[in-house]
Amino acid sequence: MATPVLRLSPLSWQQESLLLRPSPFGAGEIHTDFPVPDEVTDDELLRRAQRLADRESALRVVDHGPDGVVQQEPLQVRLHHHTCESPADVREFITRSRHQDFPHTPGEPRWRLTVIHHRDGGGRPARTAFALFDHFIADRVSVALVRRELSTGVPARPGNDETDGYRAWVERQRAEFDPHTHQGLAAARFWRRHLDGVSPHQATPVPVFTDAPRDDARGTAWYSVHVALPPGAVHQACRAAAATPSVLVLSSIAATTASACGVDDLTLRLITGGRTPGSATTIGWLNTCVPVRLRDRELGTLRGALAATRTAWQQILPYQHTPWEYLWRTCAPEGAPAHGWLAGHRQLLVNFFPDVVDGLTEADFADRTDDFEQQYLALYVVPLADGGFMLRLIGDAGEVDPKAARRYLDALRDGLLAHVGESQSTDTARVGALAGSRP
């Protein structure tokens, strides 16, 4: 391999935002794991990983600072190995590994690929690949793309990283969202129209907060619930509602929240993939979050919430890749007392996971409190392999009332089940009517 050369590249808006709000936890970590097919040798898996690193500049990042990110070219990928006795030991190792601090030693790659050697449920030799990424270089869509390429051997995209990779994407992002140019303020003009006088940090009236902060509680509280749905139910409901799964679920969340609080105007914050058609398969930290203002006289019903969400999403779609740091800087009201994430700590952030998750256990749904302090209220919507969802509410343990959080999650679950069932009934009736009209 050629002698490595270090190259400095610009920070994206997302990366700069992280450096502006330093956290002892960095950007966090994202991971994925998958069974390695018997026909794929360790050497072949390493070859696929090396091809990814050779093509994707984000995977060659070895350091960063205020002046930019440092990429090593070329970067030689290492394949790590670990041995476990059983599938249960594999899950324990993955859980333990992903909760450890990711190594931030300058000069080290910001991702790691490990092959876990173990026995399957029948006692036969098996291998599981476990890839861990620093969020600073990858988002969940990127991790899903890497997983697909490593497991199938099919490249996520052809092309040259210089022209359509992450480095080129950062350059385009900086030009499109330059707040010092007329062209760069086009997105800000749209968001001001969409928000219509409301702050991008507008609090969401979610019925989970305590009347007074609980001084006896510290850290971050996690509450989860399982939404049990049969395979195909969500697809059928989406077909009837003429909506994507994320729009259907967001509508249900809005309807339940509006009904509980008796309001017809809500502002939520939504995590998006941050991708346009030209960057759909780009690997890097592209995801962002944007405010969504929903207004309808019947917002507390599925029909009203669905109409408001459809309309809002159609308007937002061309601008859903707007960087959050840019958005609040250009759209926050004059004289706002706070900014950034802290200003919106009572705004509900909805994060719809882009990839199906399998292998969750009862322990994953158990309530818990972590030591680190969460600076915002988040609702994770996790699609499950069995056809349902996990809903997970995360917030400041000192501000969120446990009983109220559990009531709200249960209401969200019951509302989603009812809304999916309602849409399914509409679809079944429509199909039946069409069948009955045939000669």
Side-chain angles (χ1 to χ4, degrees):
M1 183 171 281
T3 303
V5 174
L6 299 181
R7 176 174 178 175
L8 186 67
S9 297
L11 295 163
S12 69
W13 267 102
Q14 286 87 331
Q15 292 167 335
E16 181 180 306
S17 173
L18 177 71
L19 296 181
L20 290 174
R21 51 180 182 92
S23 165
F25 308 101
E29 57 79 27
I30 308 176
H31 77 282
T32 187
D33 59 88
F34 59 90
V36 181
D38 291 339
E39 64 273 15
V40 179
T41 65
D42 288 355
D43 287 343
E44 170 60 16
L45 189 65
L46 178 58
R47 188 188 69 80
R48 294 176 183 181
Q50 187 63 61
R51 182 181 62 195
L52 268 164
D54 290 343
R55 189 185 71 230
E56 302 292 343
S57 59
L59 299 182
R60 299 194 296 273
V61 172
V62 295
D63 199 5
H64 67 270
D67 296 329
V69 295
V70 178
Q71 293 153 347
Q72 180 176 306
E73 301 179 356
L75 183 142
Q76 186 168 5
V77 177
R78 290 178 55 200
L79 189 62
H80 300 263
H81 295 270
H82 186 79
T83 301
C84 289
E85 292 298 324
S86 66
D89 292 336
V90 172
R91 303 317 307 175
E92 182 180 348
F93 169 74
I94 290 175
T95 299
R96 185 172 65 251
S97 298
R98 67 187 177 88
H99 286 131
Q100 292 175 347
D101 289 338
F102 197 93
H104 287 272
T105 305
E108 291 291 322
R110 292 299 190 259
W111 63 295
R112 182 191 301 127
L113 179 61
T114 303
V115 173
I116 307 170
H117 302 264
H118 60 95
R119 299 278 178 177
D120 65 15
R124 295 176 296 272
R127 290 171 299 152
T128 295
F130 169 54
L132 183 67
F133 300 81
D134 188 332
H135 192 4
F136 193 82
I137 67 161
D139 55 23
R140 292 191 183 278
V141 174
S142 298
V143 171
L145 291 169
V146 170
R147 169 180 173 155
R148 192 177 310 151
E149 183 163 342
L150 289 176
S151 59
T152 66
V154 179
R157 63 181 178 89
N160 184 340
D161 191 70
E162 294 292 334
T163 58
D164 61 0
Y166 185 65
R167 200 152 48 202
W169 176 84
V170 172
E171 293 174 358
R172 291 195 300 271
Q173 183 201 56
R174 285 297 189 175
E176 182 179 0
F177 300 105
D178 183 347
H180 304 294
T181 68
H182 179 77
Q183 177 185 355
L185 285 173
R189 291 190 287 271
F190 161 77
W191 286 110
R192 292 187 194 116
R193 290 195 303 271
H194 174 75
L195 291 167
D196 194 19
V198 166
S199 168
H201 303 114
Q202 179 72 20
T204 310
V206 182
V208 301
F209 294 109
T210 59
D211 294 332
R214 299 163 54 215
D215 294 332
D216 60 332
R218 291 287 186 274
T220 297
W222 301 62
Y223 306 96
S224 303
V225 69
H226 181 209
V227 183
L229 288 165
V234 174
H235 175 74
Q236 185 181 9
C238 288
R239 182 174 62 187
T244 63
S246 57
V247 167
L248 179 69
V249 173
L250 186 62
S251 301
S252 182
I253 293 169
T256 299
T257 306
S259 176
C261 302
V263 299
D264 58 8
D265 186 349
L266 284 176
T267 301
L268 310 168
R269 198 184 313 175
L270 182 65
I271 295 280
T272 74
R275 285 161 166 79
T276 61
S279 58
T281 56
T282 299
I283 292 173
W285 184 6
L286 280 71
N287 77 328
T288 183
C289 55
V290 296
V292 182
R293 187 174 185 185
L294 304 174
R295 289 178 283 184
D296 193 281
R297 287 179 297 178
E298 297 182 348
L299 193 61
T301 67
L302 177 62
R303 184 175 69 174
L306 195 55
T309 305
R310 272 207 218 96
T311 300
W313 183 243
Q314 288 171 355
Q315 294 171 350
I316 287 170
L317 191 56
Y319 299 93
Q320 56 83 27
H321 60 300
T322 306
W324 172 244
E325 193 84 14
Y326 162 96
L327 199 155
W328 69 256
R329 282 180 178 274
T330 57
C331 299
E334 291 290 334
H339 59 273
W341 290 91
L342 283 176
H345 76 289
R346 289 207 170 188
Q347 184 179 59
L348 182 63
L349 176 72
V350 180
N351 188 355
F352 195 104
F353 280 37
D355 212 14
V356 171
V357 174
D358 195 8
L360 296 182
T361 66
E362 290 185 7
D364 293 299
F365 288 91
D367 295 348
R368 74 175 194 265
T369 301
D370 287 343
D371 291 336
F372 74 89
E373 294 184 2
Q374 178 85 341
Q375 296 178 339
Y376 52 90
L377 183 70
L379 178 67
Y380 291 177
V381 181
V382 184
L384 303 178
D386 63 9
F389 295 95
M390 176 175 73
L391 300 181
R392 171 170 283 172
L393 189 70
I394 306 174
D396 185 335
E399 289 196 336
V400 175
D401 178 83
K403 292 182 179 178
R406 177 54 57 193
R407 284 195 301 269
Y408 180 57
L409 266 183
D410 289 345
L412 289 175
R413 177 200 59 207
D414 296 343
L416 184 53
L417 289 171
H419 294 151
V420 168
E422 180 182 335
S423 297
Q424 279 184 289
S425 299
T426 302
D427 187 62
T428 301
R430 181 184 302 157
V431 171
L434 288 174
S437 65
R438 292 171 184 166

